């Protein structure tokens, strides 16, 4: 029973403490939050701790934190995602780390669950790098990535509410973000047998305590918490 535990980091200085708990780090590439300085700090700390670095790419929307739906052209989306990937690869290389996977962020993540066009653009952006792609089970992005020969990684969210059909409850709705440590840990245990990686958001209230609770619950239940990449 092996499971990866990931978190979104380098969105603010506060989330870097999660690198002491998780096994994979979704490093914000600066499009919707963060900075090159934070990216560098995150990659350096991750390398020191044996945490795998992944590129968290998203819409270039700092005002909306990348959580507002966008309709870029295919070329625009491919270009901005590759720019983000290249920047993180350069930053990671400077501290002896490497980018090992890609995870879309926010609105882009949810859009490529069902939007075939944008999902195809994401796969086109990632394909030359040959990196694994994270996503919700059943997402269009993962289906297209598999068809293109990319490794796919299914992901569950310990701190987000789900709809009956397995999608994430929109953040605009009450109860969309789970903040009770016991509830988050219980959800992680329910999801762990169904996915390859579990996520705790770095900007959730009490994110560090939630991540610790999740990891402790997984270990107590007999799961080996290790990176997938």
């Amino acid at each position: 029973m092996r499971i990866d535990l990931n978190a979104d980091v380098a969105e603010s200085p506060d989330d870097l403490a999660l690198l002491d708990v998780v096994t994979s780090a979704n490093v914000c590439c600066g499009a919707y939050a963060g900075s090159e300085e934070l990216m560098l700090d995150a990659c350096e700390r991750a390398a020191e701790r044996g945490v795998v670095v992944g590129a968290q790419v998203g819409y270039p929307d700092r005002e909306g934190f990348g959580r507002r739906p966008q309709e870029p052209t295919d070329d625009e989306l491919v270009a901005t995602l590759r720019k983000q990937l290249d920047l993180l690869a350069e930053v990671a290389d400077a501290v002896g780390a490497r980018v090992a996977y890609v995870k879309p962020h926010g609105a882009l993540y949810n859009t490529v669950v069902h939007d075939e066009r944008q999902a195809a653009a994401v796969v086109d952006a990632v394909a030359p790098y040959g990196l694994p792609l994270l996503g919700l089970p059943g997402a269009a992005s993962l289906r297209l990535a598999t068809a293109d020969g990319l490794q796919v990684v299914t992901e569950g969210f310990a701190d987000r509410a789900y709809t009956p059909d397995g999608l994430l409850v929109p953040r605009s709705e009450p109860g969309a973000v789970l903040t009770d440590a016991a509830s988050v840990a219980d959800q992680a245990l329910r999801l762990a047998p169904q996915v390859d990686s579990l996520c705790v958001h770095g900007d959730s209230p009490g994110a560090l305590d939630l991540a610790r609770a999740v990891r402790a619950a997984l270990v107590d239940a007999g799961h080996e918490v290790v990176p997938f990449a």
Side-chain angles (χ1 to χ4, degrees):
M1 295 193 294
R2 295 161 64 91
I3 189 72
D4 175 58
L5 180 59
N6 76 70
D8 303 343
V9 300
E11 295 171 345
S12 79
D14 297 335
D15 58 35
L16 297 182
L18 288 161
L19 294 169
D20 290 327
V21 182
V22 300
T23 51
S24 296
N26 315 317
V27 178
C28 172
C29 297
Y32 55 88
S35 64
E36 287 190 41
E37 183 179 1
L38 272 176
M39 292 165 66
L40 187 67
D41 199 0
C43 289
E44 187 170 29
R45 293 193 194 190
E48 291 171 351
R49 291 159 174 76
V51 174
V52 172
V53 170
Q56 184 143 46
V57 296
Y59 296 130
D61 174 30
R62 296 181 71 89
E63 183 179 347
F65 199 67
R67 288 178 174 155
R68 300 185 299 189
Q70 307 283 328
E71 289 289 341
T73 67
D74 294 354
D75 288 347
E76 287 171 342
L77 185 53
V78 169
T80 189
L81 298 187
R82 288 183 181 172
K83 181 179 179 181
Q84 293 172 55
L85 282 165
D86 289 343
L87 175 59
L88 182 61
E90 181 180 341
V91 168
D93 185 64
V95 294
R98 69 177 182 90
V99 179
Y101 65 91
V102 180
K103 176 182 172 178
H105 165 80
L108 179 61
Y109 186 98
N110 291 317
T111 296
V112 298
V113 171
H114 58 81
D115 187 312
E116 296 280 335
R117 182 185 69 80
Q118 291 201 44
V122 168
V123 172
D124 286 348
V126 176
Y129 302 86
L131 296 172
L133 182 65
L134 268 70
L136 279 184
S141 57
L142 298 193
R143 173 172 51 78
L144 295 173
T146 298
D148 208 47
L150 294 177
Q151 178 187 346
V152 299
V153 181
T154 56
E155 183 178 35
F157 290 86
D159 58 358
R160 288 295 309 279
Y162 281 82
T163 66
D165 55 357
L167 301 178
L168 298 178
V169 173
R171 285 178 174 269
S172 57
E173 296 186 15
V177 178
L178 309 181
T179 57
D180 176 71
S183 298
V184 170
D186 286 345
Q187 178 151 296
L189 292 177
R190 290 195 303 272
L191 291 171
Q194 308 169 42
V195 296
D196 303 311
S197 185
L198 291 167
C199 177
V200 175
H201 285 88
D203 66 330
S204 291
L208 182 58
D209 289 337
L210 296 182
R212 286 171 173 160
V214 167
R215 180 154 190 160
L218 291 170
V219 171
D220 288 347
H223 292 279
E224 184 182 4
V225 185
V226 292
F228 66 84

